Amino acid sequence: MSAQPDLLYSEEEEALRAAVRDLLTDRCDPAGVIARTESDAPHDLGVWKALADGMGLAGLLVPEADGGQGATHREAAVVLEELGRSVAPVPYLTSAVVATEALLECGDRELLGRLATGRAVGALAVALHLAPGAAFRTVRVEDGLLHGELTGIADAACADVLLVPGDDGGLYAVEAADATVTGQVSLDLTRPLATVTLDRAPGRRVGDAAAAVPRALRAGAGLLAAEQLGVAEWSLTETVRYLKERKQFNRPVGGFQALKHRLAQLWLETVNLRAAARNAAAALASGDDTAVAVAVAQAYAAPAAVRAAEEALQLHAGIGMTWEHPVHLRLKRAKADSIAYGTAGAHRAELADLVDLPAP
């Protein structure tokens, strides 16, 4: 039997958190994020360059021999917690985690090095809503050229390289310049979706999709819980702060018993979410009971993050309903994340199968 994982944050992880939070506080303010969602370029490539190139965070999961940092999923989870708090419009989850995990399975060192150093942004051309074990769409491969259309691809608009599953079982690296990327209407404007169309696009086979795609989606689902934790923590912290300042009948609104109960329940759910998210990151790092840990985390994380954001919106009252207040960014991210890499229901069903729990 394996040892119980240590779910507490190490000193190094806390130092990493502080550095990432300082950067995002300076360069990813709420007004700036909202302004970007209204523009034709929602991704903040300046912040991405600072994270990927300046701090080396794009290569946390990549071995040092391949140009990365040789860290683990625990450190990547800390970064995603902070990115979730700020709903930073950067392709960290899609490139530094999902695309990177696919390439680690394939063993393509050249492309891994490009992603690890931030010289390129990668995107796995699989619909964002698919769970790790779900069937995924492929494109037709003919004479080394790719033909087809894939929808719901997250962060494809800013990708330099697309990892595309072919109908011959291969996973192909396609330069974004050889594909047509068309934006789709997305609820979460900080993580836009797109349709990728390939018409005789040249592709280089990097590995087998049957092994690479499930691994990438499982890592994405597991570390998505850390991002959802960041959304929930921001929602709780900002709501408590607001209710301490907002007064009614000459007393802070947060002093009313009914609101105290709601905040206490929200705190409990956030603490439980932290435990589930940390356990998933630790399991991904060690490779021990990964499928169970990820399924548990996502079964809990999605509804917990949505509830935290909904409570934040309601308890901010009228000001929370305005476009200028950043709470709507968190609600949209939480809602979009609740179906990303599989719904909570899909993960509960997978968990039941994993632990041999028959359906009623």
Side-chain angles (χ1 to χ4, degrees), residues 123-125 138-139 146 150 162-166 170-174 196 198 209:
L124 181 65
T138 62
V139 299
L146 279 60
L150 301 167
L162 299 166
L163 301 178
V164 182
L171 187 67
Y172 291 83
V174 178
V196 174
L198 304 173

Side-chain angles (χ1 to χ4, degrees), residues 135-231:
F136 50 88
R137 292 184 62 182
T138 62
V139 299
R140 181 167 54 90
V141 181
E142 185 177 322
D143 298 329
L145 301 177
L146 279 60
H147 312 257
E149 182 177 276
L150 301 167
T151 61
I153 312 304
D155 293 332
C158 68
D160 300 296
V161 180
L162 299 166
L163 301 178
V164 182
D167 61 0
D168 62 348
L171 187 67
Y172 291 83
V174 178
E175 295 297 323
D178 295 323
T180 300
V181 178
T182 307
Q184 297 179 240
V185 177
S186 308
L187 174 63
D188 179 12
L189 299 177
T190 63
R191 180 175 286 147
L193 305 179
T195 296
V196 174
T197 304
L198 304 173
D199 183 12
R200 297 179 56 81
R204 178 173 62 85
R205 182 166 178 151
V206 295
D208 295 331
V213 172
R215 170 176 172 171
L217 296 184
R218 193 168 304 281
L223 293 187
L224 178 67
E227 178 180 287
Q228 291 164 311
L229 171 60
V231 172

Side-chain angles (χ1 to χ4, degrees), residues 242-261:
Y242 176 75
L243 294 182
K244 284 181 177 180
E245 297 174 353
R246 179 76 168 88
K247 291 186 177 181
Q248 192 174 42
F249 306 116
N250 205 31
R251 60 177 289 190
V253 174
F256 292 107
Q257 188 82 354
L259 298 190
K260 285 183 178 181
H261 288 168

